[in-house]
Amino acid sequence: MENILVTFLKKFTDYPFKVILDGKEYMIGEGNPEFTVHFKKPISKTKLLTSTSLALGEAYMDGDLEIEGDLYYALDHFLGQLGKFSTDESALKKIMHSSVSKKNQEKEVTSHYDIGNDFYKLWLDETMSYSCGYFRHPDDTLYQAQVNKVDYILQKLNLKEGMSLLDIGCGWGFLLIEAAKKYKINGVGITLSHEQAKEFERRIEEEGLQDCLKVEIMDYRDLPKSGYQFDRVVSVGMVEHVGRPNYQLFIDCVNAVLKKGGVFLLHFISALKEHAGDPWIKKYIFPGGTVPSLREILSCMAEDDFHTMDVENLRLHYNKTLLCWADNFHKHMEEEKKMFDERFLRMWDLYLNACAATFHNGIIDIHQILATKGINNDFPMVRWY
């Protein structure tokens, strides 16, 4: 059994590493090992070939696989070889291609975002922003980076006092609160997360913004019949949940509620090419989550006469954001142990560090697309910074 596992791992030779199995040491690749993987139990060839990601991820969650040394360092060297992973999509059909129905997607979204505001407060910053920060300066704190990110987005939207702004997938509401305070806009946030909506409502009251902001539990597909019309629409880290069959529908729904000449900013995790996604992430972290390619989103926008004004890649900013989250997560481990069992905490630790590594290796990107609905010749001719 051990030879099967070691033989399988021998294709991951970009960086040398050591494997310990049944008291024996094996070297993979040439040179001094960058990291050491200790297998307390062997993994079957069937599991490795069905999904390398699931096999290794579950072994780590169960404590059957340990990384000796820094987890991120090891993942950063290993996950750049993700193209060598095996995935049998036919055997993983339910995980890889879940239903895009309203009922199922609400279930998928709440399974991640409704596990407790108190948990997220431990390792996010004070803004409760669960998306890529923007580090204007190398020594920016996570909090400053999240404030920077929201300011940056609001500048790009070219907001004016009295405008209406829709935030699709509004999270805990920091962006709309900042927009209302700094630009005096009227805003609506929609989400499927009851926990996020509850906290956003509390913040609206705390800030005294009841006259200009509101949050609704709403599926984006219900926007066209909502009667709403907006000057600006923003969506940060939400389109990844709609599923590949619905990308055009999502853009159509934005088009339905955005005024002619209006401005739309879409901030989303992207991929160089279209793919179904990672089985471990889909099973344990983001059920139904699918990362769009930049080109397919731009294509969908073109169908609705959206004119692209700007495209920006913030990939390395997300690497740094995730490392900040992972650091915060470790600092609050004793409190988290009172909320969740060890398997969950190992899973979450792996999630944060693996995502940081995949952004660092360019396996996934983070793009902001700024577009106008039709021609808007009043839009500034210069960049916003």
Side-chain angles (χ1 to χ4, degrees):
M1 185 68 76
E2 66 186 43
N3 289 334
I4 291 172
L5 176 57
V6 173
T7 300
F8 181 85
L9 291 173
K10 280 186 176 177
K11 61 183 176 178
F12 297 95
T13 56
D14 287 6
Y15 296 95
F17 64 99
K18 184 193 295 184
V19 172
I20 301 175
L21 177 63
D22 289 339
K24 297 178 183 178
E25 294 187 356
Y26 304 86
M27 277 299 303
I28 309 294
E30 297 180 1
N32 294 324
E34 293 283 353
F35 56 93
T36 299
V37 185
H38 188 177
F39 289 94
K40 297 179 181 178
K41 288 183 182 178
I43 302 173
S44 72
K45 183 179 180 181
T46 301
K47 281 189 174 182
L48 288 166
L49 291 177
T50 300
S51 171
T52 308
S53 176
L54 273 176
L56 296 178
E58 289 177 340
Y60 185 82
M61 289 165 61
D62 293 334
D64 295 334
L65 182 165
E66 290 285 0
I67 301 294
E68 295 184 4
D70 185 80
L71 177 61
Y72 170 72
Y73 184 85
L75 290 168
D76 193 36
H77 285 75
F78 190 69
L79 290 180
Q81 305 173 78
L82 206 59
K84 299 176 183 177
F85 278 36
S86 297
T87 304
D88 183 350
E89 285 195 32
S90 61
L92 302 167
K93 197 170 182 180
K94 286 186 178 179
I95 295 173
M96 301 301 286
H97 303 285
S98 60
S99 168
V100 294
S101 70
K102 287 183 181 179
K103 184 177 180 180
N104 190 59
Q105 288 197 331
E106 181 177 11
K107 180 182 175 183
E108 290 174 339
V109 167
T110 55
S111 74
H112 185 89
Y113 296 98
D114 282 1
I115 58 177
N117 289 337
D118 289 343
F119 171 63
Y120 284 106
K121 284 177 182 177
L122 289 176
W123 52 274
L124 296 178
D125 68 291
E126 302 94 305
T127 71
M128 290 291 283
S129 296
Y130 190 21
S131 55
C132 178
Y134 185 61
F135 293 85
R136 285 186 179 274
H137 308 288
D139 58 349
D140 280 345
T141 63
L142 175 62
Y143 169 77
Q144 188 59 55
Q146 294 295 6
V147 171
N148 292 346
K149 183 268 300 293
V150 166
D151 283 346
Y152 197 36
I153 287 173
L154 299 181
Q155 287 174 41
K156 285 185 176 184
L157 286 169
N158 194 34
L159 294 170
K160 307 294 182 187
E161 184 174 341
M163 279 186 172
S164 53
L165 171 63
L166 168 67
D167 186 348
I168 304 175
C170 60
W172 289 277
F174 181 69
L175 185 148
L176 279 174
I177 288 170
E178 288 292 283
K181 289 164 68 173
K182 293 180 178 178
Y183 293 90
K184 295 182 171 53
I185 56 88
N186 296 298
V188 175
I190 66 169
T191 179
L192 291 177
S193 167
H194 295 265
E195 287 288 297
Q196 289 183 338
K198 183 171 66 176
E199 175 63 13
F200 190 6
E201 285 176 346
R202 187 196 68 76
R203 289 171 127 186
I204 289 171
E205 290 186 19
E206 183 179 75
E207 297 283 353
L209 297 171
Q210 300 94 320
D211 291 341
C212 57
L213 291 183
K214 67 176 177 176
V215 58
E216 296 186 27
I217 301 287
M218 184 192 292
D219 189 290
Y220 72 91
R221 283 164 282 200
D222 293 327
L223 282 169
K225 62 184 180 185
S226 68
Y228 284 128
Q229 285 288 292
F230 296 93
D231 299 295
R232 302 287 188 263
V233 174
V234 65
S235 185
V236 178
M238 180 273 174
V239 75
E240 301 91 321
H241 294 289
V242 310
R244 179 153 282 116
N246 283 352
Y247 292 153
Q248 187 64 60
L249 175 60
F250 174 79
I251 300 300
D252 291 348
C253 290
V254 172
N255 183 49
V257 294
L258 184 61
K259 296 176 183 177
K260 188 176 180 180
V263 180
F264 175 36
L265 186 142
L266 183 64
H267 170 121
F268 66 107
I269 297 171
S270 59
L272 198 61
K273 296 180 181 179
E274 301 74 31
H275 60 82
D278 177 77
W280 184 82
I281 287 284
K282 281 177 169 276
K283 182 175 180 179
Y284 290 103
I285 307 298
F286 292 113
T290 307
V291 175
S293 69
L294 176 63
R295 62 187 177 187
E296 64 186 326
I297 293 298
L298 288 171
S299 177
C300 291
M301 285 186 164
E303 291 301 311
D304 285 332
D305 197 30
F306 278 102
H307 289 247
T308 303
M309 305 296 290
D310 186 79
V311 178
E312 186 170 9
N313 189 337
L314 302 178
R315 175 174 63 84
L316 291 177
H317 292 267
Y318 217 163
N319 167 259
K320 191 165 182 176
T321 301
L322 280 151
L323 290 176
C324 288
W325 289 342
D327 186 49
N328 287 346
F329 180 76
H330 289 154
K331 286 177 180 175
H332 292 93
M333 188 61 74
E334 291 307 310
E335 295 153 275
E336 291 151 1
K337 283 179 179 177
K338 297 174 184 176
M339 299 178 177
F340 299 101
D341 62 20
E342 184 180 358
R343 191 171 192 263
F344 176 92
L345 296 177
R346 288 177 70 86
M347 175 190 79
W348 208 264
D349 194 17
L350 182 60
Y351 151 55
L352 294 175
N353 283 283
C355 285
T358 51
F359 277 108
H360 193 245
N361 282 279
I363 294 162
I364 46 177
D365 292 299
I366 185 91
H367 277 101
Q368 286 186 357
I369 302 175
L370 185 71
T372 61
K373 180 176 174 178
I375 293 296
N376 182 340
N377 289 327
D378 294 326
F379 206 73
M381 292 174 64
V382 295
R383 269 182 168 260
W384 36 86
Y385 57 84

